[in-house]
Amino acid sequence: MFIKHAAPTLLVAALIGPAAAAEPLPEAIAAPGESLVLSVHAEGAQVYECKAGTDGKLAWAFREPIATLLSDGKTIGRHYAGPNWELADGSAVTGKAVGNAPGATAADIPWLKLEVASRRGSGILTPVTTVQRINTHGGELYGACEKAGEFKSVPYTADYVFLKKG
């Protein structure tokens, strides 16, 4: 009996991809009532700049993400400052963070929930209203910076889940 039920469950998990977490997402980034449009894997870097803080001391400040968006191992788009996600079909969205949850370790950037603030082009991302960044690995930068204007990039991977209302 178990085998008969296992195959459909595995098929559904494969179709949904990274969005199908073994555990529910943290409440701060959950999007109840929204449905999956696309789930992609990202590989790239989080870029930081050495800047003087309000206290005048130098510290690393997040500048921008630079990542390739992958589906089934193929490049289908890119993620960059804004934050923006742009697909090869010409559709793109810009997000605004509205929630976050800690990554699995101190070296992992937080999981995020972003509302779509604007969209361009027409394609897969056209109906998207929410973007979630989950399953992050790496990306956090620690330590002192010595020289204002210096840049450092930290490799990271994540899954981005694109959702729409209804």
Side-chain angles (χ1 to χ4, degrees):
M1 280 302 236
F2 175 75
I3 293 173
K4 286 183 182 176
H5 296 292
T9 303
L10 291 174
L11 177 60
V12 169
L15 290 173
I16 294 174
E23 300 172 16
L25 292 176
E27 192 173 322
I29 65 161
E34 295 195 36
S35 60
L36 180 67
V37 173
L38 176 69
S39 182
V40 299
H41 182 68
E43 294 181 2
Q46 298 285 307
V47 180
Y48 297 85
E49 183 176 2
C50 185
K51 287 182 163 182
T54 53
D55 59 1
K57 294 181 181 174
L58 292 178
W60 291 110
F62 176 70
R63 180 180 165 98
E64 63 188 329
I66 300 171
T68 300
L69 303 178
L70 304 159
S71 179
D72 296 324
K74 293 184 172 87
T75 299
I76 64 161
R78 63 191 186 114
H79 173 46
Y80 55 94
N84 287 282
W85 295 265
E86 185 178 302
L87 298 185
D89 71 3
S91 62
V93 294
T94 302
K96 178 184 176 203
V98 294
N100 68 72
T105 74
D108 302 329
I109 54 176
W111 292 19
L112 294 177
K113 177 181 179 180
L114 305 102
E115 285 181 353
V116 170
S118 66
R119 52 184 52 81
R120 300 177 308 285
S122 182
I124 294 170
L125 297 181
T126 301
V128 172
T129 54
T130 302
V131 180
Q132 292 167 318
R133 178 176 76 190
I134 62 172
N135 302 328
T136 58
H137 295 284
E140 282 290 353
L141 178 61
Y142 293 99
C145 60
E146 308 295 324
K147 184 178 167 194
E150 183 180 15
F151 293 93
K152 278 214 175 154
S153 62
V154 181
Y156 90 105
T157 63
D159 294 322
Y160 289 99
V161 182
F162 300 90
L163 305 163
K164 65 179 180 179
K165 302 256 188 255

